[in-house]
Amino acid sequence: MSGKTLATQLKAGLDAPICLTWEITYACNLQCVHCLSSSGTRDPRELSTDQAKAVLDELRDLQVFYINIGGGEPMIRKDFFEILEHAEANDIGVKFSTNGTYITAENARRLAAMNYLDIQISLDGVDAVTNDAVRGKGSYATAIAAMNHLRDANFGQFKISVVVTRHNVDQLDEFKALADSYGAQLRITRLRPSGRGADTWDELHPTQQQQRQIYDWLMKHGENVLTGDSFFHLNAFGESLPGLNLCGAGRVVCLIDPIGDVYACPFVIHDQFKAGSLLGDGGFTKVWKESDLFLSLREPESEGACSACGSYDACQGGCMAAKFFTGIPLDGPDPECVTGHGEELVKSATVSLIPKPSMDHSRPVKINTPRLASSKEAVQRMERV
């Protein structure tokens, strides 16, 4: 089957998501300035252990074979291992993202003994100065310690996950070398203006020149580096990067949040993109197969304002989340459109009309990050929450 035919089929939706993200908690011991879910404190409505197990049972029946667990920091939940074990019993593979705080030597050995498990350690700098400016003081040392524990426990190949910003883009070679030194796999993803990332977007998102730098680097290393299809908007530069080259929101991907609400995309936690709740009649299956939102997203799409651009087939108009949270219409160009069509729309967007995330679980904290000092408004806003 050709790539184009496959993309057409995927756009029409599948019987079950092939990439389901489940944020099992909003609780987190860190306060990353780009956190897409504005995590920090636990939501009192968080699904119980029994409810979480029931979700896994339903996903098994729907023949979902792989899920991404995140947060917040998922290992904060006291029933974290119980959830993993129930997924394993249902033959559901799990990849979970963690800042590494709770991967002690003992927990690393316990994780290494499990099947169908992949671990993704978040790191946003190859040195403490770069990483801790985004993820918080001491977070670099914590992540490295977690990697050491996994290595010593003979866990096998884990992932190092990097959100690419203008401050770490020059470190891509070093990130790859770090991953190689652990026998790990590097995963780089795109910064989205979601959650707290909306406040720090102007300071953190790569420049136009750096976008080209990322593209050229991926063209050279892409076969050995995972991207989660984050950078398909860069395909307008020329040859397509490895991946599906499409926005999978509501078609092949979706998000379950800690209280059981289902969203079209992990990067658009907003009421406008909430498809329903798995606590309702019919559960997750009904939401996935019958929600008006998901059905509408699976309809053939218009090229919209991008119809005059000869690159639409390559970039597919870019990322829905990036457009939504920067005030660009969904049929408009990506804010990081490589031809520059999105930049003027971002500049002209009415600030008061730009959507904000529906929920914020940030903890009161005073951010002291010199490298982000130019983002004065962002810092002030985060100090107020």
Side-chain angles (χ1 to χ4, degrees):
M1 181 181 293
S2 70
K4 188 171 183 179
T5 302
L6 176 61
T8 301
Q9 179 181 345
L10 294 177
K11 285 182 179 180
L14 300 176
D15 290 337
I18 59 176
C19 183
L20 186 153
T21 296
W22 182 9
E23 295 186 346
I24 61 175
T25 186
Y26 283 128
C28 190
N29 57 305
L30 299 185
Q31 286 274 95
C32 301
V33 299
H34 56 20
C35 179
L36 63 92
S37 58
S38 298
S39 290
T41 60
R42 177 183 175 273
D43 193 304
R45 300 169 294 170
E46 190 174 281
L47 296 179
S48 68
T49 303
D50 287 343
Q51 287 174 320
K53 289 181 177 180
V55 171
L56 290 168
D57 292 342
E58 183 178 5
L59 295 180
R60 175 203 61 208
D61 295 341
L62 196 58
Q63 297 186 320
V64 172
F65 62 90
Y66 195 79
I67 60 174
N68 300 293
I69 286 180
E73 169 51 53
M75 293 188 74
I76 278 183
R77 280 192 62 139
K78 294 181 180 180
D79 58 0
F80 174 72
F81 280 99
E82 192 173 350
I83 290 172
L84 288 190
E85 290 164 355
H86 197 75
E88 183 179 35
N90 278 320
D91 293 328
I92 297 174
V94 172
K95 177 174 71 178
F96 75 89
S97 299
T98 175
N99 58 45
T101 300
Y102 301 95
I103 298 186
T104 61
E106 179 182 356
N107 281 341
R109 290 190 292 271
R110 187 173 181 181
L111 292 166
M114 300 186 72
N115 296 316
Y116 314 125
L117 184 65
D118 193 9
I119 300 176
Q120 186 168 280
I121 306 291
S122 297
L123 191 72
D124 289 328
V126 294
D127 54 71
V129 173
T130 307
N131 178 84
D132 292 6
V134 173
R135 303 188 61 81
K137 185 177 181 180
S139 57
Y140 175 81
T142 296
I144 295 298
M147 294 180 206
N148 290 339
H149 289 318
L150 290 174
R151 178 198 59 203
D152 296 344
N154 295 315
F155 175 83
Q157 188 182 64
F158 55 88
K159 309 288 191 299
I160 297 177
S161 182
V162 178
V163 177
V164 182
T165 71
R166 68 181 57 179
H167 299 310
N168 66 17
V169 68
D170 291 332
Q171 299 180 341
L172 289 175
D173 284 336
E174 294 171 87
F175 278 120
K176 184 65 168 61
L178 178 66
D180 290 345
S181 72
Y182 280 96
Q185 187 168 26
L186 180 63
R187 182 177 188 267
I188 68 171
T189 59
R190 182 182 179 185
L191 175 74
R192 266 84 168 194
S194 307
R196 287 195 291 269
D199 294 327
T200 53
W201 165 262
D202 289 338
E203 166 64 21
L204 291 181
H205 82 93
T207 65
Q208 278 285 315
Q209 181 179 354
Q210 288 174 329
Q211 295 285 349
R212 181 72 202 214
Q213 182 179 347
I214 296 167
Y215 173 80
D216 289 342
W217 192 87
L218 283 172
M219 289 303 298
K220 184 177 180 180
H221 301 283
E223 291 187 0
N224 299 312
V225 175
L226 299 177
T227 64
D229 291 318
S230 289
F231 299 102
F232 63 86
H233 68 294
L234 300 181
N235 290 341
F237 277 129
E239 184 180 347
S240 292
L241 296 166
L244 294 177
N245 186 30
L246 60 85
C247 172
R251 298 159 167 170
V252 298
V253 307
C254 69
L255 168 85
I256 299 173
D257 81 353
I259 64 174
D261 287 335
V262 182
Y263 294 84
C265 169
F267 306 107
V268 193
I269 304 176
H270 188 277
D271 288 344
Q272 187 170 325
F273 293 93
K274 183 166 68 175
S277 171
L278 55 76
L279 297 179
D281 292 339
F284 174 81
T285 303
K286 183 175 182 179
V287 175
W288 177 257
K289 294 186 174 182
E290 300 180 23
S291 78
D292 291 340
L293 173 63
F294 285 178
L295 293 176
S296 67
L297 288 171
R298 295 163 190 166
E299 291 292 326
E301 58 194 345
S302 167
E303 296 183 8
C306 294
S307 61
C309 176
S311 298
Y312 180 81
D313 286 344
C315 76
Q316 296 292 307
C319 173
M320 178 176 73
K323 288 187 274 192
F324 183 71
F325 285 120
T326 53
I328 295 178
L330 297 186
D331 63 353
D334 190 286
E336 293 180 321
C337 169
V338 302
T339 60
H341 293 314
E343 289 182 323
E344 290 303 317
L345 289 178
V346 172
K347 292 176 182 177
S348 63
T350 303
V351 175
S352 61
L353 298 179
I354 296 177
K356 298 296 181 184
S358 299
M359 294 179 286
D360 191 336
H361 293 84
S362 301
R363 290 178 283 110
V365 62
K366 183 175 182 179
I367 302 299
N368 182 22
T369 53
R371 295 198 65 174
L372 297 178
S374 61
S375 185
K376 183 177 179 181
E377 181 181 354
V379 173
Q380 289 176 338
R381 178 173 176 178
M382 292 181 68
E383 289 177 339
R384 291 196 299 270
V385 295

